[in-house]
Amino acid sequence: MDKIARIDMGAAGGPKVTVGDLGEYAGLGGRAMTSLMVAAEVHPLAHPLGAENKLVISPGMLSGTTGSMTGRLSVGCKSPLTGTIKESNAGGQAAQVLARLGYAAVVLEGKPEGDDLYKIVINKDGIQVIVDNSLKLMDNYPLVAKLRQEYGDKVAYMTIGSAGERKLLAASIACTDPELRPTRHCGRGGVGAVMGAKRVKAIIIDDAGMKMRPPKDPEKYRDANRKFVEGLRKHPVTGEGLPAYGTNVLTNVLNEAGGYPTNNFKSGQFADSAKLSGETQAALEIQRGGSATHGCHRGCVIQCSGIYNDKDGNYVTKQPEYETVWSHGGHCGISNLDTVAKLDYMDDNIGVDTIEMGVTIGVAMDAGLAEFGDDAAAIRLMEEVEKGTPLGRVLGSGAAITGKVFGVERVPVVKDQALPAYDPRAVQGIGVTYATTTQGADHTAGYAIATNILKVGGDVDPLKTEGQIELSRNLQIATAAIDSTGMCLFIAFAIMDQPETFQALLDMLGSFHGITMTGDDVVALGKKVLSAERDFNTRAGFTKHHDRLPRFFYNEPIAPHNQTFMMKDEELDEVFNW
Amino acid sequence: MKNKRKTNLILNMDQDQLGDFFPLLQKGVTVEAHVGCSLELLLSHQWQIPAEYAAQRITTIFLNSRPIDSLATAIINEDAVIALSGAMPGLVGATMRRGGYYAAMREGITHHATNGNVVDRNATVRVKLFNLLLPELGPGFLQRGIIIPAGELSRFFNGKSEYFWQGCRSALLDNFPILPHLLSREDLFPDQSTVRLSVNFPSPD
Ligand code: SF4
């Protein structure tokens, strides 16, 4: 990864490609690349859908190597949903393929005049930007099927559906999985709308003729990767729980804890949660000839995904993740996994974030557009988004907009991004991260990384309540660093519990780049990324007053624990005080 | 269970059918237990779960919807709801973990020891099993017996496929053999009654 491609979509005479060296971005990848570049190069007051915004696409630091779990792709820009800086990442094949072609980043800049739609082909011979108006308003599944006829099955596709073209604020960018299904999405923050604004419908990435990226110290790298994989395989979460049930294994547990937001955050428990659980889902997938264990990219040894078939054994969608099953399920009072799977397929096909869309439908239900628990109505609302009707455009612009248009008070967003599937009144520590992350409410912003091993900012006594601020800070720093490596965040448990697995990760990073990597280096990287993101947001007009949860979390106790969110504003303001 | 009549039903099933009972177990089943003791004693002495297994595999436990950190100080009341889970992914998974590093993040809902007067007596509790613990602990609970309202059991049997009934080798209803297929008859169990259901999964012949 020794070059950066910049594609000026608004250049006079048509899009212009410039390939240059890494310069000040040398050694960066993933979120570190996207956030540092956006912070340095995008005017903080730029309109997110205007020519001044940039869409930075970057494989992780270890993507394209033989290392396991290294296939996450980061996409960054100023978010049209939140107005903040945004990094959204996904699995799929794109990161590996792009990295093998040597690109540390592909940057879409400017904005073309006129109505033409473009596709970008990246291969060993260079980059071509081609007008293809035959793709207009196609959704992701038929779009990829059409592109495959021309470019075949040995490439990776990044595409936007009709939602991205319409510049809806919930629009995602789809990355194809190993079976070339557009199932892995950079979902959060409306990154698909930014790609749509630049009139780019598809990026076709072909690494034919390219080799794996070679490590500086191949032997040490191979050895570290072997230990890393052993660590993942022996840990009960990464070696057993996730492969067997996927992330939806959390449904039963969150419901039991009273932290499963139900009917638009009115209760913390859903009576029919067992019908939606990962255990039920996995059994159904196996019974119908699908699969409960599947990797979103080659090289994943955890394989938390799966294949969801209908009762006749026909493919419906990939295994919906916990957040999706929640947002389209319990959040809307819906308990039918087939309905959730259909909505997941529609999200992927139209190209919208499953969390944002599910939460939005729940808000629409609160507005009286449908009854909670009405499966058919939820599907009808999604069809409005698919058709691009005025109502569909409102819904496709997310929960905050929908709440405003329909006068709903209980709108679960932070910085206008929908909250994921955990009620912060039950799990207060999560609320700290939701409130303060640079990205808007985001469950992955503070992941359970090895902060106890990293000792970010010194030792913390986690059993003290005041330790929650430190925990959230440390989690956010560690997550920013892991997001930069291209590693899937689900490695977190194994590296948290098993110091030797964490050391193996450090050794992979170090031996690949021919340096010695320590925990302190990881902390420094995470802090650098977060500082740049915070600085961008400040210049974009965000203050500490935006680092708050909606008032209803402070005012409305939630069953069964009858608790409100009790963290003080002054405490929240301490999170980034390092 | 305060219902008047209790029917005894014993099933001998093939191993393949164990999964059919998972929906019941994850939703929660009522079991007889000696209450007034610690959760530690309930698990080890009454449910015969080895301490090492509990430490390594049952990493998350809820008592009446509250995550617990100490087995020794959690006292079991009559009608307590106990949910047992294996290791969970994600930050919330880590947060709920027993005695875990992130326990402070859910401090507001954590179960704390109480000194209330808990009468030491035979009663019932409700137990839920999640994820990896379903196949590992499920057979033990099913064999010891679960108490289930007749209506719920009828609904359970009604939805079962032919494959399920083929895997039912024999059934004893109040000690009398009964053809397994007949168990799906809605009028088999008196209304408002409860059934004590024991399921054995003998090893293949
Ligand atoms: S663990 Fe899941 S999300 Fe992570 S790389 Fe594997 S399949 Fe993708």
Side-chain angles (χ1 to χ4, degrees):
Chain A
M1 297 205 308
D2 56 359
K3 56 191 175 189
I4 292 176
R6 292 176 184 270
I7 306 175
D8 181 358
M9 294 302 298
K16 184 168 167 250
V17 181
T18 315
V19 179
D21 59 20
L22 299 172
E24 62 193 289
Y25 303 114
L28 301 179
R31 179 169 165 187
M33 173 68 84
T34 64
S35 287
L36 294 179
M37 190 179 279
V38 171
E41 299 185 13
V42 174
H43 194 291
L45 299 177
H47 192 292
L49 302 178
E52 283 184 303
N53 200 5
K54 299 189 182 192
L55 189 75
V56 185
I57 300 165
S58 178
M61 290 154 72
L62 292 177
S63 299
T65 73
T66 53
S68 300
M69 313 299 303
T70 56
R72 300 295 291 193
L73 182 84
S74 289
V75 170
C77 58
K78 177 173 176 175
S79 163
L81 182 75
T82 63
T84 65
I85 200 166
K86 172 58 63 181
E87 186 266 354
S88 186
N89 65 56
Q93 288 294 109
Q96 306 284 33
V97 177
L98 198 56
R100 263 175 234 139
L101 284 161
Y103 292 101
V106 172
V107 190
L108 304 186
E109 305 178 338
K111 184 178 177 178
E113 298 283 336
D115 201 29
D116 278 340
L117 199 57
Y118 295 85
K119 61 188 177 189
I120 297 172
V121 181
I122 307 176
N123 58 28
K124 68 176 177 14
D125 301 321
I127 297 179
Q128 277 181 290
V129 185
I130 304 161
V131 174
D132 190 343
N133 289 320
S134 71
L135 307 178
K136 273 188 182 170
L137 286 179
M138 289 189 80
D139 281 323
N140 283 315
Y141 273 88
L143 171 63
V144 171
K146 182 173 162 71
L147 291 169
R148 282 172 71 180
Q149 288 174 2
E150 192 172 350
Y151 298 99
D153 292 350
K154 296 210 164 74
V155 301
Y157 297 96
M158 292 177 68
T159 56
I160 54 169
S162 55
E165 257 185 274
R166 291 188 174 112
K167 293 175 273 190
L168 303 185
L169 303 188
S172 61
I173 298 173
C175 300
T176 47
D177 62 19
E179 289 76 30
L180 293 163
R181 292 167 175 146
T183 56
R184 323 312 305 192
H185 288 241
C186 299
R188 310 239 66 195
V191 291
V194 177
M195 187 155 144
K198 304 210 176 290
R199 305 295 296 154
V200 176
K201 182 71 175 172
I203 304 174
I204 299 108
I205 317 166
D206 179 358
D207 67 347
M210 302 303 293
K211 295 203 170 72
M212 294 280 184
R213 290 172 62 208
K216 283 261 166 38
D217 185 339
E219 214 162 298
K220 198 165 176 213
Y221 188 71
R222 205 177 313 120
D223 189 47
N225 185 45
R226 185 180 48 75
K227 289 186 182 137
F228 183 63
V229 170
E230 274 170 17
L232 294 176
R233 291 223 164 101
K234 79 174 182 207
H235 192 280
V237 170
T238 48
E240 293 180 80
L242 278 170
Y245 304 111
T247 53
N248 193 19
V249 70
L250 286 166
T251 293
N252 275 330
V253 169
L254 260 294
N255 195 61
E256 195 60 28
Y260 187 82
T262 302
N263 293 358
N264 194 24
F265 288 78
K266 290 198 199 72
S267 166
Q269 283 182 327
F270 183 41
D272 282 331
S273 65
K275 292 183 184 163
L276 292 172
S277 72
E279 293 86 328
T280 304
Q281 187 179 39
L284 196 63
E285 284 168 347
I286 292 165
Q287 182 198 323
R288 290 176 172 183
S291 163
T293 308
H294 180 262
C296 74
H297 70 267
R298 292 191 193 98
C300 166
V301 295
I302 300 176
Q303 306 213 331
C304 77
S305 194
I307 303 293
Y308 192 99
N309 288 347
D310 66 16
K311 60 181 171 28
D312 300 319
N314 301 312
Y315 173 85
V316 176
T317 188
K318 94 283 189 185
Q319 174 176 288
E321 293 198 43
Y322 167 63
E323 280 77 17
T324 309
V325 176
W326 162 76
S327 72
H328 282 306
H331 173 69
C332 294
I334 287 172
S335 61
N336 184 333
L337 277 174
D338 285 334
T339 303
V340 170
K342 180 169 172 67
L343 290 165
D344 181 75
Y345 169 82
M346 292 177 84
D347 289 331
D348 284 356
N349 194 36
I350 302 165
V352 282
D353 177 29
T354 58
I355 297 176
E356 195 68 46
M357 275 324 301
V359 171
T360 301
I361 291 172
V363 169
M365 287 173 162
D366 235 351
L369 267 66
E371 295 290 321
F372 282 99
D374 186 340
D375 297 41
I379 291 169
R380 264 200 313 279
L381 291 174
M382 279 299 292
E383 285 168 350
E384 299 277 345
V385 184
E386 190 173 34
K387 289 181 206 144
T389 63
L391 172 59
R393 283 173 181 262
V394 170
L395 298 170
S397 292
I401 296 274
T402 300
K404 279 182 185 146
V405 170
F406 292 101
V408 180
E409 191 186 334
R410 189 185 300 97
V411 182
V413 296
V414 174
K415 303 184 182 88
D416 284 350
Q417 181 168 284
L419 255 72
Y422 317 91
D423 199 297
R425 289 164 288 191
V427 195
Q428 307 258 324
I430 300 257
V432 175
T433 301
Y434 281 172
T436 59
T437 152
T438 52
Q439 310 280 325
D442 192 331
H443 61 297
T444 63
Y447 222 74
I449 312 290
T451 55
N452 49 342
I453 301 170
L454 289 174
K455 301 217 184 335
V456 187
D459 278 317
V460 173
D461 182 352
L463 291 176
K464 295 236 170 67
T465 308
E466 57 270 27
Q468 301 199 21
I469 299 300
E470 283 82 358
L471 281 175
S472 178
R473 175 191 303 142
N474 298 349
L475 287 162
Q476 292 192 54
I477 290 169
T479 304
I482 300 291
D483 276 343
S484 305
T485 63
M487 288 278 175
C488 172
L489 271 177
F490 294 134
I491 64 169
F493 255 87
I495 65 175
M496 179 172 74
D497 287 344
Q498 300 164 178
E500 71 280 10
T501 310
F502 180 61
Q503 187 56 48
L505 172 66
L506 292 179
D507 290 345
M508 281 175 78
L509 283 162
S511 58
F512 190 83
H513 295 285
I515 52 171
T516 305
M517 191 100 187
T518 65
D520 287 347
D521 297 323
V522 175
V523 172
L525 176 65
K527 281 186 174 174
K528 188 174 172 184
V529 172
L530 277 180
S531 295
E533 291 174 350
R534 289 279 293 179
D535 177 56
F536 180 91
N537 288 352
T538 303
R539 288 183 286 124
F542 286 84
T543 70
K544 62 183 182 182
H545 302 297
H546 294 94
D547 289 344
R548 306 287 184 259
L549 296 182
R551 288 303 297 167
F552 76 88
F553 286 114
Y554 298 85
N555 299 333
E556 294 179 13
I558 192 169
H561 299 297
N562 293 320
Q563 266 189 188
T564 56
F565 185 65
M566 289 176 293
M567 205 60 67
K568 293 194 184 72
D569 289 352
E570 307 81 69
E571 291 177 301
L572 295 176
D573 295 340
E574 286 301 306
V575 170
F576 286 96
N577 212 352
W578 63 63
Chain B
M1 288 277 154
K2 282 139 190 117
N3 311 54
K4 289 165 233 128
R5 170 121 198 256
K6 200 179 284 177
T7 309
N8 269 300
L9 176 63
I10 300 172
L11 302 179
N12 290 307
M13 305 284 305
D14 284 348
Q15 281 288 345
D16 276 3
Q17 272 64 45
L18 174 60
D20 282 272
F21 293 89
F22 290 172
L24 284 181
L25 293 167
Q26 56 172 311
K27 221 171 156 218
V29 290
T30 301
V31 298
E32 286 152 356
H34 193 86
V35 299
C37 65
S38 70
L39 186 53
E40 190 170 36
L41 283 179
L42 180 69
L43 293 180
S44 60
H45 282 58
Q46 298 187 53
W47 293 347
Q48 279 120 43
I49 298 172
E52 200 186 341
Y53 177 94
Q56 285 173 8
R57 300 291 283 179
I58 314 180
T59 46
T60 304
I61 303 182
F62 296 92
L63 178 55
N64 299 325
S65 284
R66 295 190 175 274
I68 67 134
D69 291 311
S70 162
L71 294 177
T73 59
I75 305 299
I76 304 301
N77 283 299
E78 182 169 3
D79 296 330
V81 181
I82 302 151
L84 309 176
S85 167
M88 290 285 108
L91 176 57
V92 175
T95 301
M96 295 298 162
R97 192 194 285 196
R98 189 147 58 89
Y101 184 76
Y102 298 106
M105 298 183 89
R106 41 85 172 161
E107 166 63 24
I109 58 169
T110 297
H111 179 273
H112 293 292
T114 48
N115 293 324
N117 288 334
V118 182
V119 184
D120 194 344
R121 52 172 293 215
N122 286 323
T124 58
V125 297
R126 197 161 172 79
V127 60
K128 300 180 183 184
L129 297 181
F130 299 150
N131 50 74
L132 300 170
L133 305 186
L134 281 163
E136 293 177 8
L137 296 182
F141 281 100
L142 289 167
Q143 192 173 22
R144 284 189 294 273
I146 63 175
I147 297 161
I148 185 166
E152 192 181 338
L153 188 61
S154 292
R155 280 192 296 282
F156 172 74
F157 284 140
N158 269 329
K160 290 292 158 263
S161 65
E162 188 52 36
Y163 183 64
F164 175 86
W165 295 115
Q166 280 168 9
C168 186
R169 296 185 192 181
S170 62
L172 286 177
L173 186 64
D174 283 334
N175 286 326
F176 288 100
I178 177 172
L179 281 174
H181 272 93
L182 296 179
L183 293 171
S184 57
R185 277 181 51 167
E186 271 175 32
D187 56 355
L188 190 66
F189 307 109
D191 266 1
Q192 306 297 317
S193 70
T194 55
V195 181
R196 189 176 189 288
L197 170 69
S198 304
V199 190
N200 301 308
F201 296 93
S203 21
D205 300 327

